[in-house]
Structure formats: structure tokens, C-alpha cells
């Protein structure tokens, strides 16, 4: 068992519109990690993380920033491929806690917080691919890429773009045992 803390660099993309563009924002990720050996060099590495994601968009009327807070549960296979070098891959279940939208038109800043997204879904399935480097028996550095694997618009409407949240995660882990 261990602890991890780090940063997220997240954005929002549209898989159906290559002209759609938003800016990245930085957020926090922190939580508990586990490493359960299966058979060398494979182990099961689940985690429970608090994770901040979102994006920023500049519009003609001002700047819109969306920050979402999630509980992420990555269920990762960890492959030891060399001394101190590991590859992580697997699914991640993400549970939406809340969304805060901030509007800044240059004169007034307004903020609204929601406790579920617009279509009522609070759970998402993501895919994770990453690496970790064991600095010693108690500390590791980690980097990974996470992206949504399911549509965020459950209505299936052809008028609503299929948005996805890619996230680059960087952090440091501390093993407690």
C-alpha cells in the first residue's frame, strides 16, 4: 500500500470535429495505491485517486473554464520490464463529484457549481497507459495518459459533438510497507 500525489494536465477534444480547440488546465491528483504481485513480472496495481480535470476555452465574449473533480479508480496491470522500469495499462472507472464552470468576460467573473453533468451521467470508463520508475524501494515517479473510452453524450444526438477528456498525469508515489 502507498500514497501518491501529483498533477494533471487536462483538456477537452472532439473526436468528430478536428477544428474544435480548447486550452489545457492544471489540476491535482492524490490518493492511495496498491501493488499486488500475481506472477513475476506481472502485478495488479489498483488505485483510488481524487483527480481534478477540465479545460479552458476563449470565446468572443470572454474566457470559459470548466474544472471537474473526480474519484478515479484505475485497475492497472503493472509489468516490470527492467530494473526500476514499469509499464502500466488498464481501465479506469471515474466517478464525477462536481463540475465548476467559471465565466470571465473581462469585467465580471461568475461561477456555477453542479453536482452532476448535463446528461445525468456521473460514471465514466477511461483507458490508462503509463510508466513508472522506481527510485528506490519506497519511492517511484509516474507518468501516464488517460482518455475517455465512452461517449459523454448518452443521447446519441448527431448535433452534440462526442467530447473526450485526455489527461496527462505526473506524480510521485510513496510505498508505506
Amino acid at each position: 500500500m502507498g500514497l501518491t500525489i501529483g498533477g494533471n494536465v487536462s483538456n477537452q477534444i472532439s473526436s468528430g470535429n478536428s477544428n474544435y480547440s480548447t486550452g489545457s488546465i492544471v489540476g491535482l491528483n492524490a490518493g492511495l495505491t496498491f501493488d499486488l504481485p500475481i506472477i513475476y513480472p506481472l502485478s495488479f496495481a489498483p488505485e483510488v485517486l481524487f483527480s481534478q480535470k477540465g479545460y479552458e476555452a476563449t470565446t468572443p465574449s470572454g474566457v470559459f473554464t470548466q474544472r471537474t473533480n473526480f474519484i478515479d479508480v484505475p485497475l492497472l496491470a503493472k509489468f516490470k520490464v527492467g530494473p526500476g522500469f514499469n509499464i502500466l495499462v488498464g481501465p479506469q472507472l471515474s466517478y464525477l463529484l462536481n463540475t465548476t464552470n467559471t465565466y470571465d468576460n473581462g469585467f465580471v467573473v461568475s461561477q456555477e457549481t453542479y453536482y452532476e453533468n448535463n446528461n445525468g451521467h456521473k460514471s465514466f470508463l477511461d483507458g490508462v497507459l503509463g510508466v513508472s520508475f522506481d527510485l528506490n524501494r519506497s519511492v517511484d515517479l509516474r507518468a501516464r495518459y488517460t482518455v475517455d473510452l465512452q461517449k459523454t453524450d448518452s443521447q446519441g444526438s448527431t448535433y452534440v459533438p462526442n467530447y473526450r477528456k485526455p489527461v496527462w498525469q505526473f506524480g510521485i508515489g510513496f510505498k508505506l510497507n
Side-chain angles (χ1 to χ4, degrees), residues 128-144:
V128 179
L129 178 62
V131 295
S132 68
F133 303 94
D134 298 327
L135 298 179
N136 59 40
R137 293 184 59 172
S138 300
V139 180
D140 69 4
L141 295 177
R142 50 191 61 212
R144 61 178 74 154

Side-chain angles (χ1 to χ4, degrees), residues 101-121:
N101 294 331
T102 304
Y103 308 92
D104 182 354
N105 66 7
F107 299 104
V108 176
V109 176
S110 62
Q111 196 172 61
E112 299 173 347
T113 299
Y114 303 96
Y115 291 92
E116 67 178 43
N117 65 6
N118 292 339
N119 61 18
H121 280 131

Side-chain angles (χ1 to χ4, degrees), residues 62-129:
V63 177
F64 171 80
T65 304
Q66 182 177 80
R67 182 172 302 277
T68 52
N69 295 318
F70 284 89
I71 296 295
D72 289 338
V73 182
L75 305 170
L76 304 174
K78 181 178 179 179
F79 299 95
K80 296 181 188 294
V81 294
F85 179 67
N86 308 293
I87 294 178
L88 301 147
V89 64
Q92 173 175 283
L93 304 171
S94 294
Y95 181 78
L96 178 64
L97 297 174
N98 65 352
T99 300
T100 300
N101 294 331
T102 304
Y103 308 92
D104 182 354
N105 66 7
F107 299 104
V108 176
V109 176
S110 62
Q111 196 172 61
E112 299 173 347
T113 299
Y114 303 96
Y115 291 92
E116 67 178 43
N117 65 6
N118 292 339
N119 61 18
H121 280 131
K122 294 183 84 158
S123 299
F124 300 93
L125 178 64
D126 305 325
V128 179
L129 178 62

